[in-house]
Amino acid sequence: MTTARGRFITLEGGEGTGKSTQVRRLCAALEIRGIAQTMTREPGGSPGAEDIRRLLVDGEPGRWTPLAETLLLFAARSDHIAHTIEPALAAGRWVVCDRFTDSTYAYQGMARGLARETIRRIEAVAVGKFTPDLTLILDLPTDQGLARAAARGPAESRFEKFDNGFHESLRQAFLDIARRHPERCVVIDASGSAEEVAGRVWAAVAARFRIT
Ligand code: TMP
């Protein structure tokens, strides 16, 4: 008997939208229903990609050009797919990933100005046609997201240090991605308590995969 392939779900959104909390809650909700799952994140998710993550998140905001940053991100992603995501899906596990390629289009593309076509060409080489089965875009007004991120303590990532305009472009970039890919993306209102947002996330997952 062949094992049914798992589903690949990604969560996306700007800083402070609560993605990491929702990734954990979604994994718990799948577990309760007897669905084996792997929780992972980008940049990172495999030993090699975690090494590359440190190069990306440490240091000054302008450390990398958008192109160099994008090449590093796709090097990490290629390793992550080969060593973590693909083996899990092939074994029938569902994979819930905190950020994926949409983050590169939003951060390096729209917010940092690298041409979409450049990203598309790198993506074609590094990732091919591999895309999520479902992408949940957590959406929150920029000031609320930054306030939540600030409440976590000093900026932990190089990307949180960019200015407000950067974060507003990011929000618009994710909403634009959702408009371009309505078959894959669902925008989730990320305001309110973690509990309320988790309810919206689960409703979207259950509807997409017809889980009762
Ligand atoms: P995190 O804060 O969600 O852990 O992500 C780390 C940082 O990496 C975050 O500020 C967003 C950034 N990032 C990109 O700029 N491009 C990407 O493709 C990914 C996956 C993350």
Side-chain angles (χ1 to χ4, degrees), residues 1-2 10 27-28 31 51-52 56 62 78 81 92 97 117 137 148-149 154 160 171 178 185 210 212:
M1 202 182 87
T2 52
T10 57
C27 284
E31 183 73 32
D51 283 347
I52 297 173
L56 284 160
S78 161
I81 293 169
C97 189
E117 177 57 16
I137 295 188
R148 277 194 198 170
E160 282 181 34
R171 181 183 188 203
C185 298
R210 300 179 208 285
T212 47

Side-chain angles (χ1 to χ4, degrees), residues 62-128:
R63 178 180 183 191
W64 303 107
T65 63
L67 178 60
E69 200 162 270
T70 301
L71 291 166
L72 285 169
L73 283 159
F74 274 108
R77 188 161 294 137
S78 161
D79 193 79
H80 184 206
I81 293 169
H83 291 115
T84 303
I85 302 176
E86 190 51 53
L89 294 174
R93 300 178 69 85
W94 290 35
V95 175
V96 180
C97 189
D98 187 340
R99 300 196 182 282
F100 196 63
T101 303
D102 294 317
S103 277
T104 310
Y105 282 97
Y107 279 78
Q108 284 64 45
M110 291 210 234
R112 293 207 65 200
L114 189 65
R116 190 207 318 262
E117 177 57 16
T118 305
I119 301 176
R120 202 197 55 71
R121 285 163 64 193
I122 300 170
E123 180 187 11
V125 174
V127 172

